[in-house]
Amino acid sequence: MIDALYSETSLLQDSDDLDLTLQFACQRCGNCCRWPGFVRLGLGEAERIADFLGVEPAEFVEEFTILLPDRSSLSLKSRSDGSCVFLDDRNVCRVQPVKPLQCRGFPNAWRFPGWRKSCEAKPIIDSLK
């Protein structure tokens, strides 16, 4: 029944790709955690993640972050295959309860062009009406 509510992806048009009024249910596919790019850390996020991991903030910054090329903020490191350093082999985020706002917001608070080609999130039918 629930899958039937989410399966009407044919209702979506390419022009709806970036329409933030449409809401999606994450399927935990992990594909967004493999998308190339930066995961910027906002104010206090490094400290929250460090605390969750049981390490000092300075140790967390040294081991798990990089300074962005424009020097505007820190970003989580990526592995050599482009995946997030906190994505495990079961598509589970090791810092799920305290993951950065950028991660928590996708795909309902922000989207990038073409995101539907890799993301398995399913549209919530109520948001299509």
Side-chain angles (χ1 to χ4, degrees), residues 17 29 34 42 107 110 122-123 127:
D17 199 42
C29 67
R34 291 181 186 82
W110 68 275
K122 295 184 178 182
S127 72

Side-chain angles (χ1 to χ4, degrees), residues 8-9 26 38 52 54 57-59 63 68 78 83 88-89 98 109 114 117 128:
E8 296 182 30
T9 55
C26 176
F38 297 113
F52 179 79
E59 180 183 345
E63 187 172 342
L68 290 176
S78 296
S83 65
D88 73 16
D89 59 357
V98 293
K117 292 180 179 90
L128 295 174

Side-chain angles (χ1 to χ4, degrees), residues 86-129:
F86 291 115
L87 184 66
D88 73 16
D89 59 357
R90 298 170 296 136
N91 284 336
V92 175
C93 175
R94 291 184 14 224
V95 295
Q96 179 70 24
V98 293
K99 68 184 179 180
L101 180 62
Q102 180 177 331
C103 301
R104 286 182 299 190
F106 185 82
N108 290 314
W110 68 275
R111 300 178 186 141
F112 53 86
W115 72 278
R116 295 293 299 147
K117 292 180 179 90
S118 61
C119 179
E120 296 177 20
K122 295 184 178 182
I124 300 171
I125 300 306
D126 287 345
S127 72
L128 295 174
K129 296 177 181 173

